[in-house]
Amino acid sequence: MKKPLRARVSQEEYQLLQRLRERKPAQHPPKPSPRLGDRLADAVADTVGSWRFIIIQSSLLALWIFLNVTAYIQHWDPYPFILLNLMLSFQAAYTAPIIMMSQNRQAIIDRQEAKHDYEVNMKAELEIELLHDKMNLLREEEIVKIMQMLQQQQQQIQSLEGLLRQKLQAIDYDSAFPITKPDDRNISS
């Protein structure tokens, strides 16, 4: 496809459009392939960030505290609950980085999708701009054709007027169209 002569799209934009047309970004969205660690981080983040996890963990913590306060079985972690604090610290120490890994990976995916959306939008904008240019060029061509037709018709009209003048000048009006004067004989009374 040739670039229109009077396009409002710059040469750089036109080259970008050609590259985007070859890549077809709307038909080929980015497809990230998560690795094992990425899938594991997403699974941990999904699990830890659910109501099910919060309810189960809260129930286990309440049971732990209840059993150690009442000494129903045996005090394995007396009142300051040092063992419980240690377990929760371990959980937080490993859970937070895993959740951060999942969030970082999601941020990368979001950036890729934003870049993809930008490319699709840029291609659409440039295509629309080129369509506007084509429409304007077609309109200009039509106007030129109409002007040419009007000039041809005007020339034809002028030549017809000239011929008509010649014919009218060549005709002897007196012999072709005699003017009769009313005389007294033709008047009926």
Side-chain angles (χ1 to χ4, degrees):
M1 182 176 133
K2 290 186 177 180
K3 182 181 176 198
L5 298 176
R6 291 180 291 274
R8 288 176 278 166
V9 177
S10 70
Q11 186 65 27
E12 294 82 22
E13 290 173 328
Y14 189 73
Q15 290 171 351
L16 172 64
L17 177 60
Q18 291 301 336
R19 286 192 304 271
L20 290 172
R21 282 178 178 170
E22 290 171 7
R23 286 188 29 225
K24 299 179 182 177
Q27 297 174 2
H28 304 291
K31 297 175 188 170
S33 55
R35 297 174 301 213
L36 176 64
D38 296 335
R39 289 193 304 267
L40 182 63
D42 287 343
V44 169
D46 287 342
T47 303
V48 173
S50 69
W51 278 108
R52 180 178 175 201
F53 177 80
I54 298 213
I55 290 170
I56 290 172
Q57 183 172 10
S58 298
S59 300
L60 289 175
L61 291 174
L63 181 64
W64 181 287
I65 292 170
F66 176 76
L67 290 175
N68 279 295
V69 168
T70 60
Y72 184 71
I73 297 176
Q74 178 184 358
H75 288 293
W76 70 87
D77 189 18
Y79 166 65
F81 308 118
I82 296 172
L83 183 60
L84 179 62
N85 283 326
L86 180 65
M87 289 174 51
L88 291 174
S89 295
F90 271 123
Q91 178 188 358
Y94 285 103
T95 305
I98 293 173
I99 291 172
M100 290 300 293
M101 283 189 277
S102 177
Q103 288 177 344
N104 289 340
R105 193 178 74 76
Q106 189 60 45
I108 291 169
I109 291 171
D110 291 344
R111 279 193 297 275
Q112 288 173 345
E113 288 177 358
K115 181 182 176 190
H116 174 259
D117 290 345
Y118 174 77
E119 289 175 349
V120 169
N121 291 339
M122 179 64 77
K123 181 178 182 245
E125 179 183 347
L126 291 172
E127 292 284 3
I128 290 169
E129 192 67 36
L130 283 178
L131 283 175
H132 280 292
D133 289 340
K134 286 179 186 178
M135 294 296 290
N136 290 339
L137 286 174
L138 287 174
R139 195 172 343 179
E140 288 174 11
E141 289 174 4
E142 285 179 355
I143 289 173
V144 168
K145 286 180 184 177
I146 290 171
M147 292 299 291
Q148 289 173 347
M149 290 171 56
L150 283 173
Q151 287 174 352
Q152 289 173 353
Q153 287 180 350
Q154 191 174 18
Q155 289 171 355
Q156 289 174 350
I157 289 172
Q158 288 173 351
S159 65
L160 288 174
E161 284 176 348
L163 287 173
L164 186 60
R165 277 192 205 106
Q166 289 175 359
K167 293 285 184 182
L168 287 175
Q169 288 173 355
I171 298 177
D172 182 21
Y173 281 105
D174 292 335
S175 62
F177 301 104
I179 299 176
T180 57
K181 295 181 183 178
D183 60 278
D184 294 334
R185 288 177 282 167
N186 291 340
I187 300 177
S188 53
S189 330

